[in-house]
Amino acid sequence: MALAVKICGLSTRETLEVALDAGADMVGFVFFEASPRHVTLGTARELGGLVKGRAIKVVLTVDADDATLENCIDAVQPGLLQLHGSESVARVRDIKQKFGLPVMKVLSVATAADLAGLPGYAAVADRILFDARAPKDATRPGGLGVPFDWHLLENIKLTIPFMVGGGLNAGNIAEAIRVTRAGGVDVSSGVESAPGVKDPEMIRTFIRAAREAAGATASSKIASSV
């Protein structure tokens, strides 16, 4: 299966078009006011209308209530909901049932203990995103540009797809894919020149590096099985 590349936190027409033209599989829109990547419903509606089926639109929320989710969904018409807060297993299940959309639950990881809840979430979500756990004093749960120990995922066994994020950039993406064997990667701050400011060339470079790394990993799998 081909690697899924997600560019998250897009907020301008220019950078969205760059991500789409460069071949991003998913484009994410952040609805969390504490984030420098937060977009208004009006901006999200405009940007979402530009995608036109070229990528999966992802709505990212943090412990959002039903009314907020409904407004975000109405604006973007997403193909995937990304739940980036402390949503419980029951809450994830309820959101999926209520809105009838695929759900990706984010698990923040710093140590092996953070994976204890994985079986429960994997039973109700459609996809898992492993992200770096934010420091205790952080004002937001992601987009902080710090990777976690990818070796924690080496022996992960899941029946649903999973992605890896947190501190990824063009320089370390190959190692992240090699270690985790993830089916997808998520980047936000790693393609920015400043917090919330996406850099077109960094987007292109990241997607190119991710594709090359995925190709190299696939080739090594084939070689090892011969």
Side-chain angles (χ1 to χ4, degrees), residues 121-159:
Y121 285 112
V124 296
D126 299 277
R127 188 183 292 262
I128 298 291
L129 168 59
F130 296 101
D131 196 8
R133 177 173 291 283
K136 289 184 179 179
D137 59 349
T139 58
R140 59 187 191 274
L144 302 172
V146 179
F148 64 95
D149 182 2
W150 301 316
H151 290 282
L152 292 170
L153 304 183
E154 279 186 305
N155 298 314
I156 288 291
K157 292 181 174 60
L158 286 173
T159 57

Side-chain angles (χ1 to χ4, degrees), residues 21-131:
D21 290 344
D25 302 289
M26 301 180 181
V27 289
F29 304 103
V30 175
F31 295 91
F32 186 57
E33 291 186 2
S35 171
R37 303 164 189 94
H38 171 71
V39 290
T40 64
L41 291 173
T43 296
R45 189 182 302 276
E46 177 186 355
L47 295 177
L50 299 173
V51 178
K52 301 185 186 303
R54 290 185 283 171
I56 296 171
K57 293 180 287 186
V58 182
V59 158
L60 184 159
T61 60
V62 179
D63 297 314
D65 58 24
D66 285 355
T68 299
L69 285 166
E70 188 169 352
N71 288 336
C72 295
I73 291 168
D74 178 69
V76 177
Q77 299 297 305
L80 182 68
L81 299 178
Q82 179 174 331
L83 306 181
H84 211 119
S86 57
E87 298 90 357
S88 66
V89 170
R91 177 61 175 153
V92 173
R93 182 188 62 239
D94 290 347
I95 288 172
K96 181 176 176 180
Q97 291 177 347
K98 180 177 179 63
F99 296 101
L101 287 169
V103 171
M104 176 164 68
K105 180 66 182 90
V106 179
L107 290 187
S108 298
V109 180
T111 68
D114 293 319
L115 300 175
L118 177 58
Y121 285 112
V124 296
D126 299 277
R127 188 183 292 262
I128 298 291
L129 168 59
F130 296 101
D131 196 8

